[in-house]
Amino acid sequence: MSEETKSLNFIEHIIEEDLANGLSKDKLRFRFPPEPNGYLHIGHTKAIGISFGLGEKYNAPVNLRFDDTNPAKEEQEYVDAIKKDVAWLGYQWENELYSSDYFQQLYDWAVQLIKDGKAYVDSQSSEAMAEQKGTPTQPGVDGPYRNRSVEENLDLFERMKNGEFEEGAHILRAKIDMQHPNMLMRDPIMYRVLKKHHHRTGNDWCIYPMYDWTHGESDYIEQVSHSLCSLEFKPHRELYNWFKEHIYNYASDMLPMLPKQREFARLNLSYTIMSKRKLLKLVEEGIVSGWDDPRMPTISGLRRRGYTPNSIRKFIEKVGVAKRENVIDVSLLEFCIREDLNKTANRVMAVLDPIKVVITNYPEDKEEWLEAENNQEDDSAGYRKVPFSREVYIERDDFKEEAGNKYFRLKLGGEVRLKNAYIIKANDVVKDQNGAILEVHCTYDEDTSKKVKGTLHWVSIKHAIIAEIREYDRLFSHESPDSDKDKDFMEFINPKSLTIKTGYLEPSLATVEVGEQFQFQRLGYFNVDDDSTPEKLVFNKTVGLRDSWAKQKPKPQNNQNQNKAKPQQQKRSAISVIQQFGKKYTNLSEEKQLKVKSEIQELAKDVSYDDLEPLFGTAVKKAGTRIAVLIALKELLKNGLERNDAINEFIEKAKADKNEVLVAEASEI
RNA sequence: UGGCCUAUGGUGUAACUGGCUAACACAUCUGUUUUUGGUACAGAAGAGUCUAGGUUCGAAACCUAGUAGGCCAACCA
C-alpha cells in the first residue's frame, strides 16, 4: 500500500501527538455509541468509519456501545438493525456493550457526588427550571432547592430510585454554576424519574440517567482513550470534562485513563436529509416504503439499492474528516459505487423502453445462440450465450428516422452494431395512424468485422423475459432540503423519485437471486430487489452509467450549480483580464512577463482611469496586481492622462516596495 | 444581545506545522483507445487561501479587528 505519505486528518494528528507525548499505543481504545432509536444512515457511516477506521489503523479495540438511557424511544428492533448494518459494512467490534449495563455504577457515583455537595435534588416544575436557566445571552439564577442538605438530597434521591415519586416530581442535578456562559453547565440534569419498561433492564429502574452523565462516564468505565463525536457536542465537552474529573477522584486507581472528547463535522449529502426524526416521518407518512426503501440514505436503504460495503467505505474515506460544515455532492457516492461495480458486475442486456426491430433478411424460424463476454474488466468472469432471432427489441432512444452525424445510433439508411451480434442497417419504418413508430425494418450483414460508429444493446423478443424495473431519482428537489429557513423539508419532496418500468431481459437472467448485481449494458447497474421472486423478477437501478451523450443535449439549460465561473468569463472586461494577469505576474518567467506585459499594454487601451483608480488601494502583498495596474497606468499616462495625487501616491508607494519588478516598473515613469 | 466553532477552485479534503509555481479526489471540458457515447489512458480550465490591518527575510498557517456561516435555552441523544 502507498500509505506512507498519506496526510493525516486532525483527529489522527491529535492521536499522533498523544502518542508522541507518552500515551502508550496499547491504551488506544475507541467506541461507536449509537442510540437504538432508529436506523443507521450514511451520516453515521462517517462516525463508524472514523472510530472503526482508527481501530484498524492502530490495531486498537473498538466497542459498539448502545447509548440506551431513554426507554421511551428505544427498542430491540433498532439494536438488531444497527448490529446488522455495522457488521455488513465489514467492521468488527471488540465488545457489544450497553450504557444500561452501567446504571448501578452510575447511581453509586451520583450518590458520592451528592455527598460531596456536587449534586442536588430539584423539585420544581420543568417550566420553573427552564425560566431559572436563562438564555444563551442571559445568565440563569439559582433555584430554591439548590442548597438542600446532603441528607435530604440523599433521602430524596433514594426514594426517587425506589419509585416513590411520579415522573416529573423530582430530578437530580449537578451543582455547577447557574451563571455559567455555557448553558450546559447551568446545573444540568443527571437523573429523571421515568416509570417505563427498558428493553434490557426491564422494570428494575424508576430513574434513568441523562446523556451527558451517562455518555462520558460510560467512556470512562470502558477506558476509551478518544471519544469522537459530531460538532454539535462541542459545548458538551466542558460538562464531559467536569463529570470525568470529579469521578476520577473516586475511581482513578481502577480507571486511570481519562477519555478525551473531540468533535468532527458530520456528513451531509446533497439532495437528501440525515435527521433520524425526519427520516422517520418519511416512513410514517408513507412517502417511502420503509427504512430500507432504496431511496433512503439509510444503510439498509443503500444496501437494498445495490450499494456495496466496499463502495460506502471508499466514499467515507474520500470524504475526509474536518471541522467545517459541508455538503457532499452525491456524485461522489455515485462515483464510488460505479468504480466498485465496474470491476465486479457482470454485463447483461436488457431493454427498458422497447421498439421492435424486424430483420427482414433473417429467416423467420432461425435462432442462434451467440457468445457474449460477461465482464471485460474481469478475465475470470467467463462467457455466456445469448439468443438472436429475426425480431429484437432495441431502446426507443436508439432509433431516429433522421439525425445528424453526431448521433451514433440507428437511423434510416444508417448502420449500427448489435452488441455481440451482427451489424444491421435500417431501411424502413412502420407506423400507426398517429405516426408513432411500431417497427423498424432492417437488414443484417454477417460480416461483423466492419467498423461502425455505434453499438446497441438488444434482446430477442421471443426469448425475452419480463421483469419489473424500479428506477430512482433523488428524494428531494432541493440540494439541502432541511436548511431552508422558510420552507419545510417536506415541501421539497420529489414526486417522481420512483419510476416503475417493464423491462425485457435476456433469458440468462431467469434464475437470478435476490441481491445479485449486474450491469445492464449501456444503461447502468441494477440489482435484484428483496421483493423479487422467480415468478416475478424485480430489479432496482443502483446507479446509471456515466453518460456523456446525455450531457450534450440539454446544453442551454445546464444552469445547475456548476461552473458559476464561466458566465463571468464570457463578458470579461479589459480591467478584469488585467487583474487576472496581475495575479500570476510575479510567478512568471522573465520571458513570459514580457509577453504578458505587452498584452496588458494592449488591453490598457480599453481601460478608463475610473476602472483603474480603485485598484490603487490593492494590498501591499499583492505585488503582481499592483504591477499590472502600474503597467496599465503607464499606458494611460502615455496617452495623455493627467497625473493627480492618487496616481503620484500609488507610484511613490510602488517605488518604495520590496518587490524589485514593481520598483523597476515604477522607476521607469 | 453572551459563549463556542468554522472560513482554501463548483464540491470535499491537503499543504511535512512559518519556506519551491497551493496538492489530491469528485464534478466540468478536450482528445486517444474501445463491439457499452461505459471503462482505461492523456490533457485542459478553474483558488493567491473571506476582508482589512499587523508580526516576519518569508503567512493559507501566527496576532488583532471585521464579515459570513454553524452550534448552544428537550426531565432527547
Side-chain angles (χ1 to χ4, degrees):
Chain A
M1 286 305 208
S2 59
E3 270 189 299
E4 1 172 356
T5 51
K6 209 183 161 226
S7 59
L8 305 177
N9 65 46
F10 81 97
I11 293 174
E12 291 166 331
H13 277 295
I14 289 169
I15 292 174
E16 289 296 332
E17 205 180 306
D18 290 343
L19 256 20
N21 288 334
L23 176 66
S24 164
K25 204 178 158 194
D26 61 359
K27 292 280 187 291
L28 289 177
R29 184 179 289 267
F30 307 98
R31 105 269 93 114
F32 173 61
E35 184 192 11
N37 70 339
Y39 282 67
L40 258 23
H41 54 63
I42 185 82
H44 293 111
T45 315
K46 178 169 178 178
I48 295 169
I50 289 171
S51 285
F52 279 95
L54 253 12
E56 288 176 356
K57 175 173 174 153
Y58 291 103
N59 195 22
V62 184
N63 290 334
L64 175 61
R65 180 178 75 233
F66 291 94
D67 241 333
D68 55 349
T69 58
N70 186 359
K73 289 187 183 173
E74 295 153 8
E75 293 171 30
Q76 187 62 37
E77 176 202 347
Y78 295 128
V79 170
D80 297 337
I82 289 167
K83 282 164 64 180
K84 179 180 173 183
D85 287 345
V86 175
W88 177 76
L89 284 169
Y91 292 110
Q92 289 178 329
W93 52 86
E94 178 82 3
N95 302 112
E96 177 184 334
L97 301 169
Y98 295 82
S99 290
S100 52
D101 294 342
Y102 312 136
F103 281 175
Q104 185 60 46
Q105 175 66 269
L106 257 13
Y107 177 82
D108 294 343
W109 279 336
V111 169
Q112 290 209 52
L113 283 175
I114 294 172
K115 287 181 181 165
D116 287 345
K118 298 293 182 187
Y120 65 99
V121 173
D122 200 341
S123 311
Q124 304 178 81
S125 68
S126 57
E127 293 75 29
M129 285 191 284
E131 202 157 309
Q132 288 154 15
K133 201 166 187 182
T135 70
T137 54
Q138 289 168 321
V141 295
D142 292 359
Y145 298 100
R146 196 166 193 269
N147 291 312
R148 277 216 255 236
S149 69
V150 169
E151 292 69 32
E152 193 182 357
N153 282 324
L154 249 18
D155 174 60
L156 286 169
F157 187 48
E158 183 168 1
R159 290 163 62 194
M160 279 166 66
K161 185 189 90 158
N162 293 340
E164 291 183 32
F165 302 117
E166 291 312 306
E167 293 184 9
H170 304 283
I171 54 154
L172 184 75
R173 307 177 76 168
K175 192 170 177 178
I176 306 180
D177 178 1
M178 289 304 288
Q179 279 78 247
H180 203 287
N182 181 349
M183 291 201 69
L184 289 156
M185 300 296 277
R186 321 236 259 234
D187 289 9
I189 297 175
M190 294 174 68
Y191 279 93
R192 74 282 212 195
V193 175
L194 232 42
K195 294 189 169 172
K196 295 245 164 42
H197 182 269
H198 186 277
H199 71 109
R200 299 195 84 241
T201 61
N203 296 320
D204 292 354
W205 293 88
C206 298
I207 54 172
Y208 288 91
M210 300 287 288
Y211 165 81
D212 288 292
W213 170 236
T214 312
H215 186 90
E217 278 22 76
S218 298
D219 284 344
Y220 180 53
I221 290 168
E222 291 172 22
Q223 290 288 280
V224 165
S225 61
H226 298 265
S227 177
L228 285 354
C229 59
S230 49
L231 238 37
E232 66 264 34
F233 291 98
K234 177 67 214 284
H236 293 249
R237 185 150 115 198
E238 203 170 5
L239 180 54
Y240 183 98
N241 290 341
W242 190 93
F243 279 134
K244 97 183 168 191
E245 278 152 19
H246 281 83
I247 300 312
Y248 185 74
N249 294 327
Y250 308 145
S252 60
D253 48 340
M254 294 292 291
L255 302 170
M257 166 74 74
L258 285 174
K260 189 182 255 190
Q261 173 179 305
R262 289 297 180 271
E263 311 82 11
F264 56 84
R266 37 185 262 199
L267 171 87
N268 295 294
L269 238 202
S270 62
Y271 298 102
T272 191
I273 53 175
M274 286 304 164
S275 146
K276 274 197 232 176
R277 204 195 86 239
K278 290 175 182 170
L279 291 172
L280 178 63
K281 189 169 180 187
L282 296 179
V283 174
E284 284 176 341
E285 298 203 1
I287 308 289
V288 295
S289 64
W291 284 100
D292 68 343
D293 186 294
R295 290 165 292 180
M296 291 282 272
T298 50
I299 296 180
S300 49
L302 290 163
R303 173 168 59 229
R304 186 165 173 187
R305 172 84 170 252
Y307 277 81
T308 58
N310 219 1
S311 66
I312 294 176
R313 289 175 65 147
K314 198 67 176 278
F315 171 70
I316 291 305
E317 205 176 287
K318 282 182 186 290
V319 154
V321 181
K323 284 203 262 196
R324 61 174 159 173
E325 297 290 325
N326 57 78
V327 181
I328 313 290
D329 202 318
V330 268
S331 66
L332 183 61
L333 220 208
E334 293 179 345
F335 169 82
C336 291
I337 186 60
R338 285 194 194 106
E339 188 184 41
D340 194 24
L341 259 20
N342 177 48
K343 297 192 197 92
T344 56
N346 281 349
R347 275 60 171 169
V348 294
M349 292 197 286
V351 175
L352 305 187
D353 182 16
I355 184 169
K356 183 174 174 181
V357 168
V358 180
I359 298 155
T360 52
N361 60 342
Y362 195 87
E364 299 246 4
D365 43 8
K366 183 175 176 183
E367 67 176 55
E368 288 176 90
W369 288 76
L370 305 168
E371 190 158 72
E373 191 174 11
N374 284 329
N375 185 355
Q376 55 274 68
E377 307 292 326
D378 177 4
D379 293 336
S380 68
Y383 293 80
R384 70 184 185 288
K385 298 282 190 185
V386 292
F388 185 78
S389 66
R390 179 180 157 95
E391 295 185 343
V392 302
Y393 283 137
I394 64 168
E395 218 65 59
R396 192 161 280 274
D397 256 8
D398 285 342
F399 174 75
K400 276 187 182 171
E401 290 180 76
E402 285 176 58
N405 58 358
K406 275 167 98 184
Y407 184 81
F408 303 166
R409 287 113 102 139
L410 189 62
K411 56 193 168 194
L412 284 180
E415 281 187 318
V416 88
R417 183 187 301 277
L418 294 180
K419 179 89 186 171
N420 304 314
Y422 304 107
I423 291 168
I424 58 170
K425 179 178 182 182
N427 305 310
D428 214 351
V429 291
V430 179
K431 299 183 182 176
D432 66 13
Q433 302 100 313
N434 304 322
I437 297 170
L438 296 176
E439 294 178 358
V440 182
H441 284 192
C442 299
T443 48
Y444 86 110
D445 187 344
E446 293 223 338
D447 175 16
T448 60
S449 63
K450 237 190 303 186
K451 284 253 176 210
V452 290
K453 197 86 172 160
T455 301
L456 306 185
H457 62 278
W458 52 274
V459 168
S460 164
I461 294 177
K462 76 174 163 197
H463 300 92
I465 59 172
I466 286 177
E468 177 176 319
I469 309 293
R470 298 176 182 169
E471 292 188 338
Y472 306 102
D473 196 358
R474 49 180 66 131
L475 245 185
F476 295 94
S477 55
H478 192 285
E479 187 184 45
S480 184
D482 52 4
S483 70
D484 193 297
K485 287 188 182 73
D486 307 317
K487 290 187 178 173
D488 187 71
F489 75 103
M490 295 295 277
E491 291 183 48
F492 298 117
I493 286 174
N494 173 10
K496 288 185 280 194
S497 58
L498 170 64
T499 308
I500 296 180
K501 290 180 176 173
T502 299
Y504 298 84
L505 324 183
E506 61 169 80
S508 72
L509 290 167
T511 56
V512 295
E513 283 168 26
V514 167
E516 269 194 89
Q517 300 187 284
F518 300 92
Q519 185 196 98
F520 287 3
Q521 220 137 189
R522 300 210 306 136
L523 297 176
Y525 297 97
F526 294 74
N527 76 336
V528 183
D529 186 72
D530 296 357
D531 289 343
S532 191
T533 64
E535 292 72 43
K536 190 197 177 198
L537 297 176
V538 181
F539 285 83
N540 296 309
K541 183 174 183 175
T542 306
V543 65
L545 258 28
R546 281 189 74 220
D547 189 349
S548 48
W549 168 245
K551 276 185 226 157
Q552 305 247 318
K553 297 187 277 188
K555 232 170 203 165
Q557 52 147 126
N558 199 359
N559 57 353
Q560 288 288 1
N561 43 357
Q562 306 287 344
N563 286 356
K564 282 170 192 149
K566 273 196 178 160
Q568 287 170 3
Q569 283 177 350
Q570 284 165 0
K571 263 196 195 169
R572 283 176 64 189
S573 60
I575 190 67
S576 80
V577 178
I578 288 176
Q579 269 184 280
Q580 176 92 25
F581 280 139
K583 284 180 181 177
K584 302 198 171 182
Y585 200 89
T586 50
N587 294 336
L588 300 175
S589 64
E590 228 171 286
E591 186 189 350
K592 280 188 180 168
Q593 280 185 352
L594 283 175
K595 200 174 148 208
V596 168
K597 184 174 172 179
S598 69
E599 287 190 52
I600 293 173
Q601 287 167 339
E602 190 62 29
L603 283 160
K605 290 174 187 162
D606 300 322
V607 170
S608 72
Y609 176 71
D610 290 342
D611 288 334
L612 220 47
E613 204 204 64
L615 296 172
F616 290 174
T618 301
V620 181
K621 57 185 169 185
K622 294 179 183 171
T625 303
R626 294 167 71 212
I627 294 168
V629 171
L630 193 62
I631 294 169
L633 177 63
K634 284 198 283 184
E635 283 302 299
L636 293 189
L637 289 170
K638 208 189 284 177
N639 295 330
L641 176 71
E642 301 251 342
R643 287 177 73 142
N644 62 23
D645 291 349
I647 294 174
N648 289 333
E649 194 186 327
F650 177 64
I651 293 171
E652 286 312 311
K653 213 172 153 195
K655 281 181 183 168
D657 199 82
K658 286 173 284 194
N659 187 296
E660 289 174 21
V661 183
L662 182 56
V663 173
E665 291 289 345
S667 307
E668 281 177 25
I669 297 179

